[in-house]
Amino acid sequence: MEQVLPYFAQGEVVKGFGRGSKELGIPTANFPDSVVDHLPDSIGCGVYYGWAQVDDGSVFKMVMSIGWNPYYQNKKKTMETHIIHAFVDDFYGSNLKVVMLGYIRNMKDFSSLDELIQAIESDISEAKDKLDEPSAIMYRDHNFFRSSHNNI
């Protein structure tokens, strides 16, 4: 499957299913349907890595799940971003900017919650390593993250 990366996206952080923090201990920031619906067909479901910024704050490493999350049997496609940083408060309503740089794995079902959590922790570890590479670091300082309101 051909991927068109890097891919830049931004939108308001909306409430998701509330599972990331509560069930998984891995909070996610969710994009609204309007952002999900504009994903190019060339970006398939799966787990991606890249950089993320909330409002005009610092740029942090992230992993993103795109799809229907088979474990939870979602009825609609989502883009759920886990920013690899400990935020003190929720930031619903904030502007989230992401650049997706690479693909980690396909969406798949898991036999248990523990198995899902282990896979996500593995995704986070892989993302951290890949984002330390010079070809990825250069995107942390991309102009996309410097301007307040990009129309990408």
Side-chain angles (χ1 to χ4, degrees):
M1 164 179 19
E2 181 182 334
Q3 303 293 331
V4 181
L5 298 176
Y7 180 76
F8 297 84
Q10 73 170 324
E12 181 181 342
V13 177
V14 298
K15 283 196 180 281
F17 298 104
R19 299 183 291 235
S21 295
K22 292 177 187 73
E23 276 189 43
L24 303 173
I26 304 166
T28 59
N30 296 271
F31 277 118
D33 292 343
S34 58
V35 174
V36 179
D37 294 343
H38 282 93
L39 272 174
D41 292 338
S42 57
I43 295 182
C45 294
V47 178
Y48 294 81
Y49 65 89
W51 299 100
Q53 179 187 45
V54 177
D55 292 328
D56 293 324
S58 298
V59 178
F60 298 106
K61 295 175 178 180
M62 68 84 176
V63 290
M64 178 187 291
S65 166
I66 297 176
W68 287 269
N69 298 315
Y71 180 78
Y72 288 107
Q73 302 175 345
N74 289 5
K75 301 295 186 230
K76 68 177 187 172
K77 187 176 183 179
T78 60
M79 291 171 70
E80 300 181 46
T81 304
H82 171 68
I83 301 171
I84 303 170
H85 175 75
F87 288 90
V88 175
D89 297 310
D90 289 336
F91 45 87
Y92 297 117
S94 295
N95 187 56
L96 175 64
K97 292 181 180 181
V98 299
V99 57
M100 296 162 42
L101 297 179
Y103 185 78
I104 296 176
R105 65 173 172 85
N106 288 327
M107 278 279 123
K108 62 181 185 178
D109 198 357
F110 296 94
S111 59
S112 70
L113 192 60
D114 286 341
E115 189 179 310
L116 171 60
I117 292 168
Q118 285 178 349
I120 295 169
E121 288 173 349
S122 174
D123 298 337
I124 291 168
S125 177
E126 185 172 342
K128 286 178 179 178
D129 290 344
K130 290 184 179 294
L131 289 164
D132 283 338
E133 296 174 8
S135 60
I137 290 172
M138 67 184 211
Y139 283 95
R140 184 185 58 207
D141 300 319
H142 194 278
N143 284 338
F144 175 67
F145 294 118
R146 294 178 194 213
S147 55
S148 293
H149 298 288
N150 292 315
N151 293 318
I152 291 186

